[in-house]
């Protein structure tokens, strides 16, 4: 075969280019250890995501600066949203779909994966600076595809926690009974959490300083004298760090119907003015449970 | 008496003309949807609901990427085989049968797509890729099958011509154009096995309710088994035009016949075992399999780089024959005022740019930055949208007189048209590439989000939108000029003064090419071995992981009506669930 000299040179240059491209990619994955989305994870059932990770999509701490984020994508949202992680952390995302094919893509970065029902995408990402990243679904997933978005918040270390707060109180109490406001605080970090549980009701604030060990749950009850508040609606809010849980309690002269309220039972239980209000079932670190012993302000 | 194609092959010219007109009709509708999308996406003019955008996008993709390109290329291939073998098709009725089958297939596919605009239950707004669990109406899949079967029969027609010719010319080399048609057809046969399996074994039975579920990763992988080589199915006829028409129109000869054959053989063996490079980001496929696809893809650059050399060398040869001199001065001697030449040369130039963005896409790691972003849309508007489409439009100005026997309506309008396409696509595709780097996704009606904005380091998103809208407007204008010429030519009267039906001679002819290049059985065998090597383990692994028919899925027929219904039911159920949860919480507090 007759090949012109220039054409031979061109052929050689083209081969050098091609082999060069392959070499750089090989270097990246072998020498630099860049792992790509692959088949690391077992398959799941998209219609019943009830395993430990995806039944409760969340961020979990697994090492000092290491976190895992369990994310589900579904028409037309991501869970959790926003995903909050601290700066200088290494986060491994596990992403799966409940319905059709989506993607999980951090805008302006190379954090990008397809999300396929039945498969779990795994990606480890290093975040340094605090930053807010938009998350888009970049695979068409149905008529509202363009509304499918989420956020990843990389927050300063001191602002980051994995605290879960849940506060409960009756809707109605009779004048003279105590209003028991129970706060359940879970510290999902590995390190102990020093914080203050504060209840604001009426014009008063009650608070309690606590230390909750990593992975532990603390429960406390504030017993408030309803007589002092007087009849009527009273807004209350429990605050722990940045987290707030709030509702309204109504103090009435006399409860209308005893059968009506599950709420009443609770009230009845403490009707005789159990000042301590201690229902500390899970709180292993409960140092002080008497709400009235808190710092009245 | 002229020596046009229609004079030599009047019956074949009719089929080729019918194929071209079918192709142009698809181009007209698809192009109209193109400008609708451009204006909607950029926010310049929105007259429809954003949910309808995806129906428009499905029609745009299917009509342009499948219907326009393939109807045009079956016309070109039929012309190439009959012209280069210098014999009519063996049975013109068979030729009309495959053409008819392709038309019926297109119509059946189009019905459910267009039904998406109505209140009907029927719909197929599943886009060109129809990824399960999005589900289209069975007619959509059935139409696609008929269309592909039509192309299979077309291939059989071309092979039949070649076999008949070979009986009469046992010692001759396969003429280059026929060689190109045959290798491309073989590649197409292998490639379409993937989509045939995806539709016939899984998607069609599933849409008919015969099977309960599919494995989304499996059907997606089978789609890309076909989805990547299909781009070479569009591209090969454009390459053929660059090899056999461009040198002639430049005033010279093709630089090398043997290397042209090498290039087409490389495309035959390397086009299919690369499809997984569309799935670099798919969970469930091992990195090693992706690596094999990446390597094959990189080697696929070789035939394109060789083509770049041969095409430029042939053009230079032509220019020097026309009196061009100097290192670059010869460029001025090229027939830039000829729309056929200018269109093809500009298309080739754009394809060089497309090659560079394609190299980025092929890079397994850097692909993470651009995968499924607007960048990709910019990329394929340079490849299929310019390298292929502009070449097709440019050669139309040569083909129309050949198949109609009428003079082209206006060469100046034609020249303006190809230049306008080039300029319009420069604006649009450049802005799309840049938008992709900012993370703007493809395939979305409104790339405007509530929680965040796309930040441009240079320029702004508004500026990118303006360029895209401007580009889209220029492209639309270019299309209008193109159709004016097609219609104007059809209305012309027959002319006796037309160029002859000829293609380029070669400087280095087929006698320089080793005989083994014409051994189609050998190359097909190698292609099949490479496909087995690249695909059998990934497919087995996907089936082993997810099952042949996959996990239980929620079926999601995608259309506006049911889609909204689905939405409203989810909203209702969410609200209900939320209500129930609230009640449960209250109850919990109490007890």
């Amino acid at each position: 075969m007759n090949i012109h000299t220039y054409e031979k040179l061109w052929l050689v240059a083209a081969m050098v280019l091609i082999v060069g491209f392959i070499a750089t990619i090989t270097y990246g994955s072998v020498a630099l250890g860049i792992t790509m989305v692959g088949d690391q994870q077992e398959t799941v059932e998209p219609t019943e995501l009830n395993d430990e990770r995806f039944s409760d999509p969340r961020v979990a701490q697994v090492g000092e600066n290491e976190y895992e984020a369990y994310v589900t994508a579904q028409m037309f949202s991501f869970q959790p949203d926003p995903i909050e992680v601290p700066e200088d952390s290494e986060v491994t995302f596990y992403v799966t779909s409940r319905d059709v094919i989506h993607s999980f893509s951090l805008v302006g970065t190379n954090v990008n994966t397809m999300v396929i029902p039945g498969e779990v995408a795994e990606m480890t990402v290093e975040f340094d600076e605090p930053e807010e990243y938009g998350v888009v679904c970049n695979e068409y997933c149905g008529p509202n595809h363009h509304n499918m978005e989420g956020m990843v918040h990389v927050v300063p270390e001191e602002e980051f926690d994995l605290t879960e707060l849940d506060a409960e109180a009756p809707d109605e109490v009779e004048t003279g009974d105590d209003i028991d406001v129970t706060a359940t605080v879970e510290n999902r970090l590995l390190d102990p959490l020093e914080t203050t549980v504060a209840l604001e009701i009426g014009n008063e604030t009650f608070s309690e300083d606590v230390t909750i060990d990593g992975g532990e749950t603390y429960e406390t009850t504030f017993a408030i004298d309803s007589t002092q508040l007087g009849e009527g609606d009273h807004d209350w809010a429990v605050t722990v760090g940045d987290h707030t849980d709030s509702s309204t309690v109504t103090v009435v002269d006399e409860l209308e119907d005893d059968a009506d309220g599950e709420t009443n039972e609770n009230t009845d239980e403490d009707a005789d003015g159990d000042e301590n209000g201690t229902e500390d079932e899970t709180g292993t670190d409960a140092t002080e449970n008497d709400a009235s012993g808190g710092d009245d302000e | 008496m002229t020596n046009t194609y229609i004079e030599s092959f009047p019956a074949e010219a009719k089929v080729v003309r019918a194929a071209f007109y079918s192709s142009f009709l698809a181009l007209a509708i698809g192009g109209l949807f193109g400008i609708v999308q451009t204006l909607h996406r950029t926010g310049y003019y929105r007259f429809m609901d954003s949910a309808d955008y995806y129906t428009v996008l499905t029609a745009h993709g299917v009509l342009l990427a499948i219907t326009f390109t393939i109807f045009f290329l079956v016309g070109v291939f039929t012309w190439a085989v009959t012209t280069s073998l210098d014999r009519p098709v063996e049975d013109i009725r068979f030729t009309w049968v495959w053409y008819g089958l392709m038309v019926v297939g297109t119509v059946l596919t189009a019905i459910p797509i267009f039904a998406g605009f109505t209140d009907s239950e029927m719909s197929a707004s599943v886009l060109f890729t129809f990824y399960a669990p999005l589900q289209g109406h069975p007619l959509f899949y059935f139409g696609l099958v008929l269309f592909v079967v039509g192309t299979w029969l077309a291939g059989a027609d071309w092979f039949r011509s070649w076999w008949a010719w070979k009986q009469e010319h046992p010692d001759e080399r396969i003429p280059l154009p026929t060689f190109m048609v045959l290798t491309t057809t073989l590649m197409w046969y292998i490639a379409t096995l993937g989509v045939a399996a995806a539709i016939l074994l899984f998607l069609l039975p599933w849409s008919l309710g015969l099977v309960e579920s599919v494995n989304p990763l499996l059907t997606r992988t089978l789609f890309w088994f076909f989805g990547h080589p299909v781009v070479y199915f569009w591209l090969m006829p454009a390459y053929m035009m660059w090899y056999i028409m461009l040198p002639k129109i430049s005033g010279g000869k093709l630089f090398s016949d043997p290397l042209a054959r090498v290039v087409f053989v490389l495309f035959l063996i390397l086009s299919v075992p690369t499809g997984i490079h569309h799935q670099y980001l798919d969970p469930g496929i091992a990195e090693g399999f992706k690596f094999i696809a990446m390597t094959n893809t990189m080697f696929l650059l070789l035939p394109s780089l060789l083509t770049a050399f041969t095409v430029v060398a042939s053009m230079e040869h032509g220019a020097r024959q026309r009196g061009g001199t100097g290192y670059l001065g010869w460029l001025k001697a090229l027939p830039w005022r000829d729309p056929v030449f200018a269109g093809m040369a500009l298309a080739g130039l754009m394809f060089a740019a497309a090659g560079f963005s394609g190299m980025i896409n092929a890079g397994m790691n850097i692909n993470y930055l651009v995968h499924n972003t607007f960048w990709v849309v910019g990329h394929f508007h340079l490849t299929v949208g310019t390298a292929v489409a502009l070449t097709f439009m440019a050669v139309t100005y040569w083909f129309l007189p050949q198949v109609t026997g009428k003079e082209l309506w206006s060469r100046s309008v034609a020249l303006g048209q190809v230049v306008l396409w080039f300029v319009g696509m420069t604006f649009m595709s450049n802005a799309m590439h840049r938008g992709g780097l900012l993370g703007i996704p493809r395939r979305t009606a409104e790339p405007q989000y509530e929680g965040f904005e796309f930040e441009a380091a240079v320029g702004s998103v508004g500026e990118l939108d303006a360029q895209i809208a401007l580009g889209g407007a220029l492209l639309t204008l270019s299309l209008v000029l193109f159709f004016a010429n097609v219609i104007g030519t059809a209305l012309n009267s027959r002319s006796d003064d037309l160029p002859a039906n000829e293609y380029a001679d070669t400087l280095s002819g087929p006698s320089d090419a080793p005989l083994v290049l014409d051994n189609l059985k050998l190359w097909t065998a190698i292609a099949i071995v490479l496909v087995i090597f690249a695909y059998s383990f990934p497919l087995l692994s996907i089936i082993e992981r997810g099952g042949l028919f996959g996990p239980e899925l929620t079926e999601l027929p995608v259309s506006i009506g049911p889609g909204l219904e689905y939405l409203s039911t989810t909203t209702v159920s969410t609200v209900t669930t939320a209500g129930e949860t609230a009640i449960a919480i209250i109850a919990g507090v109490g007890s």
Side-chain angles (χ1 to χ4, degrees), chain A residues 25 34 36-37 105 109-114 138, chain B residues 220 274-282 290 294 297-298 357-376 379 436-437 439 442:
Chain A
I25 292 163
I34 300 168
M36 308 196 189
V37 175
S105 311
T109 74
N110 62 358
V111 181
N112 192 359
T113 183
M114 299 309 300
N138 65 22
Chain B
R220 180 178 159 87
T274 51
I276 289 180
H277 72 218
H278 290 260
Q279 299 176 279
Y280 283 156
L281 272 60
D282 281 15
K290 295 173 179 173
M294 184 273 290
T297 307
M298 289 298 182
S357 72
M359 289 176 200
I360 304 288
N361 299 343
M364 205 168 149
N365 39 19
I366 201 163
N367 178 269
Y368 279 72
L369 195 61
V370 295
H371 179 85
N372 265 357
T373 66
F374 218 15
W375 167 284
V376 178
H379 170 73
L437 291 179
R442 68 187 284 195

Side-chain angles (χ1 to χ4, degrees), chain B residues 37-59:
Chain B
Q37 283 171 85
T38 304
L39 296 176
H40 190 95
R41 235 195 106 108
T42 53
Y44 278 90
Y45 182 58
R46 287 181 176 163
F47 64 87
M48 60 180 180
D49 192 81
S50 279
D52 283 330
Y53 177 91
Y54 303 104
T55 307
V56 171
L57 181 54
T58 306

Side-chain angles (χ1 to χ4, degrees), chain B residues 379-396:
Chain B
H379 170 73
F380 63 67
H381 277 86
L382 289 182
T383 55
V384 65
T386 307
V388 174
L390 185 54
T391 299
F392 285 2
M393 289 189 280
V395 292
T396 296

Side-chain angles (χ1 to χ4, degrees), chain B residues 175-189:
Chain B
L176 185 59
T178 300
F179 181 84
M180 292 169 162
V181 170
L182 299 182
T183 44
T184 307
T185 305
L186 288 170
M187 183 274 287
W188 179 244
Y189 282 146

Side-chain angles (χ1 to χ4, degrees), chain B residues 44-162:
Chain B
Y44 278 90
Y45 182 58
R46 287 181 176 163
F47 64 87
M48 60 180 180
D49 192 81
S50 279
D52 283 330
Y53 177 91
Y54 303 104
T55 307
V56 171
L57 181 54
T58 306
H60 177 77
V62 172
L63 286 175
L64 292 184
I66 299 287
T67 318
F68 158 63
T69 53
I70 296 180
F71 265 114
F72 193 87
L73 76 87
V74 294
V76 169
F77 280 5
T78 302
W79 164 85
V81 169
T82 47
T83 300
S84 66
L85 298 179
D86 196 21
R87 64 182 296 134
V89 296
E90 299 310 302
D91 185 346
I92 195 73
R93 287 169 305 179
F94 182 72
T95 309
W96 281 111
V97 165
W98 60 250
Y99 167 77
L101 212 51
M102 287 173 67
V103 171
V104 173
T106 304
V107 170
L108 293 188
T109 302
I111 289 171
I113 297 178
F114 283 85
F117 291 117
T118 66
D119 291 335
S120 134
E121 283 290 302
M122 184 193 267
S123 75
S125 303
V126 289
L127 306 192
F128 157 71
T129 46
F130 51 84
Y131 295 137
L134 297 177
Q135 193 183 64
H137 190 274
L139 213 50
F140 173 79
Y141 302 111
F142 184 66
L144 284 179
V145 169
L146 283 192
F147 183 82
V148 170
V149 170
T151 63
W152 285 351
L153 296 182
D157 203 6
W158 304 322
F159 266 93
R160 203 173 158 196
S161 288
W162 172 57

Side-chain angles (χ1 to χ4, degrees), chain B residues 158-392:
Chain B
W158 304 322
F159 266 93
R160 203 173 158 196
S161 288
W162 172 57
W163 282 321
W165 175 87
K166 208 166 67 166
Q167 304 305 316
E168 296 165 20
H169 307 81
D171 299 321
E172 279 183 49
R173 299 301 295 263
I174 309 173
L176 185 59
T178 300
F179 181 84
M180 292 169 162
V181 170
L182 299 182
T183 44
T184 307
T185 305
L186 288 170
M187 183 274 287
W188 179 244
Y189 282 146
I190 300 173
T192 42
L193 291 179
V195 74
I199 292 182
L200 293 176
L201 299 180
F202 304 109
L203 297 175
L204 189 55
W206 175 58
S207 67
L208 289 168
L210 300 176
V211 297
E212 288 216 337
S213 191
V214 295
N215 181 338
L217 183 57
L218 178 62
T219 49
R220 180 178 159 87
T221 306
L222 288 171
F223 176 83
W224 283 117
F225 181 103
F226 149 87
H228 192 69
V230 74
V231 312
Y232 294 108
F233 196 46
W234 314 324
L235 195 59
M236 288 307 96
Y239 270 38
M240 176 198 265
M241 293 296 106
W242 298 349
Y243 275 103
I244 69 173
M245 298 306 292
L246 193 58
K248 174 160 191 67
I249 290 160
S250 309
K253 295 179 175 180
L254 174 62
F255 197 70
S256 164
D257 169 295
L259 273 160
R261 286 175 203 254
V262 168
V263 164
F264 275 74
V265 165
L266 283 173
F267 277 116
L268 165 58
I269 61 182
L270 285 173
S271 289
V272 185
T274 51
I276 289 180
H277 72 218
H278 290 260
Q279 299 176 279
Y280 283 156
L281 272 60
D282 281 15
I285 300 177
E287 196 174 336
F289 298 144
K290 295 173 179 173
F291 198 87
I292 293 169
M294 184 273 290
T295 313
N296 289 340
T297 307
M298 289 298 182
F299 279 105
L300 204 42
L301 285 172
L302 189 63
S304 285
L305 289 166
L306 289 178
T307 300
F309 181 91
T310 310
V311 168
V312 175
S314 306
M315 277 165 45
E316 180 179 347
H317 172 74
R320 294 200 190 280
Q321 297 302 305
R322 297 164 62 98
T325 51
Y327 275 123
L328 293 170
W330 56 270
L331 283 170
K332 285 182 292 188
L334 288 168
W336 290 105
R337 290 186 176 281
D338 179 349
V340 185
F341 173 82
M344 279 201 275
L346 293 175
L349 193 62
M350 282 297 225
F351 191 61
F356 291 117
S357 72
M359 289 176 200
I360 304 288
N361 299 343
M364 205 168 149
N365 39 19
I366 201 163
N367 178 269
Y368 279 72
L369 195 61
V370 295
H371 179 85
N372 265 357
T373 66
F374 218 15
W375 167 284
V376 178
V377 186
H379 170 73
F380 63 67
H381 277 86
L382 289 182
T383 55
V384 65
T386 307
V388 174
L390 185 54
T391 299
F392 285 2

